[in-house]
Amino acid sequence: GDSVTQTEGLVTLTEGLPVMLNCTYQSTYSPFLFWYVQHLNEAPKLLLKSFTDNKRPEHQGFHATLHKSSSSFHLQKSSAQLSDSALYYCALNTGNYKYVFGAGTRLKVIA
Amino acid sequence: GPKVLQIPSHQIIDMGQMVTLNCDPVSNHLYFYWYKQILGQQMEFLVNFYNGKVMEKSKLFKDQFSVERPDGSYFTLKIQPTALEDSAVYFCASSPGPRNTLYFGAGTRLSVL
């Protein structure tokens, strides 16, 4: 079946260091991937999503590349900021109404 | 951007009573969802709804839960009767169609006493 795996529950980083949050998926059909970010006491918001033409989506310094060969859509940023501290969800849509969310990775950026 | 509104933001209720959580989705959206998030834990899928019908529901969507969207008005989640373990933040989300972004509301915090 369709599934999303986020292996890290908590990632703690010092400000200025690079960020990489892992996301792998299993998909029955052609996958469409999303990253959502949820700050404390707020609703999840779209951070970025994969393109059908293999362009690399970017937003607020974050980027992710869909690699179908390895079934991955890892989230990266070159330099972490304190304001990046949040819960990050990777999500999969397989072309219908169904969205499968990963367990989420909590990113904690410290000074 | 598009806004999903949830009313109320916080609801306190005694165990065993009925509660209805209201969601005003983005006007041209066709697919509607409810998610549950217990404090400090991950967000979990409850149910999705399209064209007046439940398309899929999870194991968390107990028999005491029901959803409806009468005549294109609010998309509601009703819990009757409530239990202590129903205490959580409930997020509503909507989407215009397949492969589109899910837009989430700010959530309703339900406290069952």
Side-chain angles (χ1 to χ4, degrees):
Chain A
D2 300 323
S3 65
V4 174
T5 301
Q6 294 181 251
T7 51
E8 311 109 337
L10 172 66
V11 171
T12 303
L13 282 175
T14 302
E15 191 179 16
L17 289 181
V19 179
M20 180 153 152
L21 305 185
N22 290 320
C23 172
T24 56
Y25 64 89
Q26 282 189 315
S27 176
T28 311
Y29 300 103
S30 183
F32 206 60
L33 277 295
F34 302 80
W35 276 100
Y36 283 84
V37 58
Q38 185 182 23
H39 288 95
L40 195 60
N41 298 323
E42 294 185 9
K45 293 184 298 189
L46 178 71
L47 182 59
L48 45 81
K49 60 184 179 182
S50 62
F51 287 105
T52 53
D53 59 1
N54 295 324
K55 285 183 186 172
R56 188 178 84 167
E58 296 193 28
H59 185 63
Q60 297 178 345
F62 285 95
H63 60 90
T65 303
L66 180 62
H67 289 290
K68 292 186 180 179
S69 57
S70 57
S71 298
S72 67
F73 191 58
H74 304 321
L75 183 68
Q76 295 178 274
K77 187 177 183 182
S78 59
S79 175
Q81 297 176 285
L82 293 174
S83 58
D84 294 331
S85 295
L87 183 58
Y88 291 81
Y89 288 103
C90 183
L92 166 70
N93 177 277
T94 55
N96 53 19
Y97 56 85
K98 185 175 177 179
Y99 295 82
V100 179
F101 280 77
T105 296
R106 189 169 296 281
L107 176 63
K108 184 177 177 183
V109 182
I110 57 177
Chain B
K3 296 277 189 188
V4 175
L5 301 176
Q6 289 190 244
I7 303 163
S9 58
H10 192 185
Q11 178 93 45
I12 301 172
I13 199 160
D14 290 325
M15 184 176 64
Q17 287 193 300
M18 181 194 76
V19 68
T20 300
L21 308 184
N22 296 300
C23 171
D24 188 9
V26 180
S27 60
N28 61 343
H29 285 189
L30 302 175
Y31 296 83
F32 312 110
Y33 303 77
W34 284 103
Y35 287 84
K36 176 182 179 181
Q37 187 175 45
I38 293 173
L39 188 65
Q41 298 184 20
Q42 71 183 85
M43 190 171 58
E44 296 186 278
F45 169 75
L46 282 176
V47 66
N48 56 25
F49 189 86
Y50 167 73
N51 199 25
K53 291 182 289 192
V54 169
M55 301 299 289
E56 187 176 0
K57 57 186 179 181
S58 74
K59 292 177 186 175
L60 294 179
F61 194 78
K62 304 179 294 185
D63 291 342
Q64 298 89 326
F65 287 38
S66 62
V67 291
E68 62 176 357
R69 192 184 186 215
D71 299 326
S73 60
Y74 285 154
F75 176 49
T76 62
L77 173 65
K78 184 186 292 186
I79 309 174
Q80 180 179 28
T82 50
L84 294 175
E85 60 265 26
D86 296 331
S87 293
V89 177
Y90 290 84
F91 289 103
C92 173
S94 69
S95 168
R99 293 188 174 269
N100 269 278
T101 302
L102 272 183
Y103 293 88
F104 286 87
T108 293
R109 182 175 298 278
L110 177 65
S111 299
V112 181
L113 307 178

